[in-house]
């Protein structure tokens, strides 16, 4: 029900846009998030957006570099990434939540009901 795409290899300082295509049913969920997981680490929160796009959250390490957005006409959520760093290397997952809450709530993995399969982003130094 969620299909992530857009990953690949990019040099440090470059940019990349990830897409998360959702079924119509899933796209009606209240919140969408992007998470990432590097080898040997836990899955961590990156960004989230409310269903109407009027509220967004970002983890501190990506603020000012990443932008989350959604296109309701295409049932798609995006993660635009600029000024990429080697430490951004990870598998990126999109996820959908049945509710929208505070930053503390939306950054929790268990808050999300549906998950995409992940797309690998590799940033070379």
């Amino acid at each position: 029900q969620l299909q992530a795409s857009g990953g690949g290899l990019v040099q440090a300082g470059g940019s990349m846009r990830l897409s998360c295509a959702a079924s119509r049913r899933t796209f009606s969920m209240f919140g969408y998030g992007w998470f990432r997981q590097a080898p040997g680490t836990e899955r961590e929160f990156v960004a989230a957006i409310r269903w109407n796009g009027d509220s967004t959250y970002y983890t501190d390490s990506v603020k000012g570099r990443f932008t989350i957005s959604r296109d309701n006409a295409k049932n798609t959520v995006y993660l635009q990434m600029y000024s990429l760093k080697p430490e951004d290397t990870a598998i990126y997952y999109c996820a959908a939540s049945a509710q929208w809450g505070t930053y503390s709530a939306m950054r929790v993995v268990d808050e999300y009901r549906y998950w995409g399969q992940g797309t690998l982003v590799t940033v070379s130094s």
Side-chain angles (χ1 to χ4, degrees):
Q1 296 181 335
L2 295 175
Q3 183 74 31
S5 62
L9 175 65
V10 64
Q11 288 187 331
S15 61
M16 182 177 290
R17 188 177 77 164
L18 305 182
S19 300
C20 177
S23 64
R24 180 172 297 181
R25 174 188 172 192
T26 308
F27 201 67
S28 64
M29 300 292 277
F30 280 90
Y32 272 78
W34 284 97
F35 288 74
R36 64 187 180 186
Q37 188 168 18
T41 69
E42 294 185 351
R43 194 168 297 189
E44 67 168 355
F45 171 78
V46 176
I49 187 167
R50 194 179 178 189
W51 68 274
N52 60 359
D54 71 345
S55 182
T56 57
Y57 299 132
Y58 297 92
T59 192
D60 286 346
S61 64
V62 308
K63 283 182 180 178
R65 299 190 300 121
F66 290 11
T67 300
I68 188 171
S69 64
R70 57 187 291 150
D71 185 335
N72 291 343
K74 297 182 178 180
N75 290 356
T76 301
V77 177
Y78 301 100
L79 184 68
Q80 178 68 57
M81 305 183 291
Y82 297 102
S83 302
L84 283 161
K85 305 175 181 180
E87 51 264 43
D88 294 318
T89 295
I91 298 174
Y92 282 70
Y93 299 90
C94 62
S97 172
Q99 54 191 353
W100 181 257
T102 64
Y103 171 78
S104 295
M106 300 310 296
R107 65 190 298 269
V108 176
V109 168
D110 290 344
E111 182 65 35
Y112 295 82
R113 180 181 298 181
Y114 300 106
W115 290 84
Q117 84 288 2
T119 184
L120 176 63
V121 174
T122 304
V123 184
S124 63
S125 58

